[in-house]
Amino acid sequence: MTHALTLGQAALDRLMPMHLCIADCGQIHFAGPTMRKLMPPGAQGVEDIFVEARGIATGHVIGAIRAAEPGDRLALRLRHHGQLMLRGHVVAPGFGGLLLNFGFGVSLSDAVAAFGLTEGDFAPTELALELMFLQEANRAIQQELARFNRHLMLARQDAEREAHTDALTGLLNRRGLQAVMRNALDPKGGMQGFALVHLDLDNFKQVNDRLGHGAGDRLLGNVARVLGRAVRSRDHVARIGGDEFVLILGGSWTCQALTAIGMRIVQGIEAVSPEDCAVSASLGIVLSAGYGPDGIERMLDDADVALYRSKRAGKGRVSIAPLPVDAAVKPLPGPR
């Protein structure tokens, strides 16, 4: 048994929000709410809205619509958004003219972005709505993954920084110093030259013994600030344990310039010494010439030997190690 079914425009709007009802000549009778969002202002006929899928010629859209057989898919592009392809069907509704109903297909994402479409612009049963939900879920997942990766990267950077930092003074620790020295001694882009200064505090033990470890920690913090003021932004300062510090001073240096810097450091440390403790510093300095990428421990050992030469000579002094036997002897520039 066959029954006639009559639907008003309100019902069509709900069931097929992208429908378009036209006369045989192509004049627009009415359109669904979503279709109206796609139509340019003042559109009177289908030629104002669409061009054929294969080109931009005018006057052929209505012909393509009439030629569409029942069950055939009709493909048209929006005239003012040529990247958006609409696909649909054409039927004769029985009250004259033609009834078209469209969907976006693979152009859905572009259409949503271009026209600000939302869930309410689609029929609840349309697959487009499901695709929108999937795209929204995928976008949320991608954003969450990006946020997680940023947090992971920052956490890794924090962990690396913490692993290379002395907790008491905020200076580099021994591991951080070794990383700096590996880079500095790297023949492919390392420093052109540098001086390594090994510093040990004189009479530090009596600060802890007489004033307590809290006073000793405060003194170490003050020493770190003295050293920080003595170097440039491209230099490095490390606390490698107890009351021992190491400075990496980039560039080429004369012995006179290094001795002057060392004595300024000694005087700065003596100025922050607790009263009646007479804390000073002994320094041993070695130049990087003659040390290769594998020479980190050797360089530190040579600086340590120079440091203890200062200790034996009466403390509060600066000693510079001789160049290694295999170092190329080159004239150094004047004092800096």
Side-chain angles (χ1 to χ4, degrees):
M1 181 180 294
T2 302
H3 297 278
L5 180 62
T6 301
L7 295 176
Q9 184 175 350
L12 287 174
D13 287 350
R14 289 195 297 272
L15 293 173
M16 299 185 299
M18 289 186 62
H19 76 271
L20 185 67
C21 186
I22 63 173
D24 290 332
C25 65
Q27 183 179 1
I28 299 169
H29 288 326
F30 53 85
T34 304
M35 179 58 68
R36 290 196 292 271
K37 291 185 176 183
L38 312 183
M39 295 165 53
Q44 299 295 319
V46 289
E47 302 287 349
D48 299 326
I49 308 173
F50 301 112
V51 295
E52 287 189 276
R54 62 177 179 274
I56 59 172
T58 61
H60 300 290
V61 174
I62 187 60
I65 293 173
R66 288 173 181 161
E69 295 289 338
D72 289 348
R73 283 190 175 273
L74 175 67
L76 298 173
R77 291 187 184 276
L78 291 179
R79 175 172 293 280
H80 300 292
H81 294 270
Q83 81 279 13
L84 297 180
M85 175 87 76
L86 273 65
R87 298 181 184 276
H89 294 91
V90 184
V91 297
F95 50 77
L98 299 169
L99 181 64
L100 293 72
N101 189 42
F102 290 100
F104 288 111
V106 295
S107 299
L108 176 64
S109 297
D110 292 334
V112 169
F115 294 99
L117 303 179
T118 66
E119 174 185 348
D121 291 308
F122 298 92
T125 56
E126 284 195 36
L127 290 178
L129 194 58
E130 301 299 326
L131 183 56
M132 286 183 67
F133 289 152
L134 288 174
Q135 289 178 329
E136 184 62 31
N138 181 65
R139 187 158 43 245
I141 290 172
Q142 294 298 327
Q143 290 173 347
E144 190 60 32
L145 283 174
R147 187 160 43 248
F148 175 77
N149 286 334
R150 283 196 299 272
H151 290 165
L152 186 62
M153 179 186 69
L154 292 174
R156 185 186 299 116
Q157 290 175 347
D158 288 343
E160 290 178 355
R161 187 162 45 247
E162 186 173 335
H164 289 79
T165 302
D166 174 57
L168 177 63
T169 62
L171 303 176
L172 293 174
N173 58 16
R174 182 178 289 274
R175 183 181 299 175
L177 173 67
Q178 289 177 336
V180 167
M181 291 186 68
R182 278 195 298 271
N183 292 333
L185 292 170
D186 186 348
K188 300 177 181 179
M191 290 184 180
Q192 295 303 309
F194 65 93
L196 184 150
V197 182
H198 188 182
L199 179 153
D200 183 86
L201 297 182
D202 300 323
N203 306 321
F204 178 72
K205 184 175 182 297
Q206 66 177 332
V207 176
N208 286 333
D209 292 344
R210 295 170 57 184
L211 304 178
H213 289 280
D217 289 347
R218 286 191 294 276
L219 176 59
L220 292 174
N222 290 333
V223 170
R225 284 184 280 277
V226 169
L227 299 178
R229 290 192 294 269
V231 300
R232 302 154 300 179
S233 59
R234 64 174 177 166
D235 299 327
H236 303 276
V237 184
R239 175 179 175 236
I240 59 174
D243 58 345
E244 292 184 74
F245 297 83
V246 171
L247 289 73
I248 302 293
L249 308 178
S252 298
W253 297 88
T254 64
C255 292
Q256 293 90 340
L258 288 172
T259 300
I261 291 174
M263 290 311 300
R264 285 201 300 271
I265 290 173
V266 170
Q267 292 165 5
I269 291 173
E270 290 174 348
V272 298
S273 170
E275 191 174 348
D276 298 331
C277 288
V279 173
S280 185
S282 295
L283 281 67
I285 302 177
V286 62
L287 297 171
S288 63
Y291 296 92
D294 298 326
I296 293 176
E297 293 304 323
R298 178 185 170 197
M299 195 173 185
L300 289 170
D301 288 344
D302 290 348
D304 192 55
V305 170
L307 165 66
Y308 278 94
R309 189 157 67 246
S310 294
K311 292 276 191 184
R312 289 192 298 271
K315 302 180 180 179
R317 299 172 185 271
V318 177
S319 297
I320 300 176
L323 289 175
V325 174
D326 55 348
V329 179
K330 298 180 181 179
L332 293 172
R336 301 171 58 131

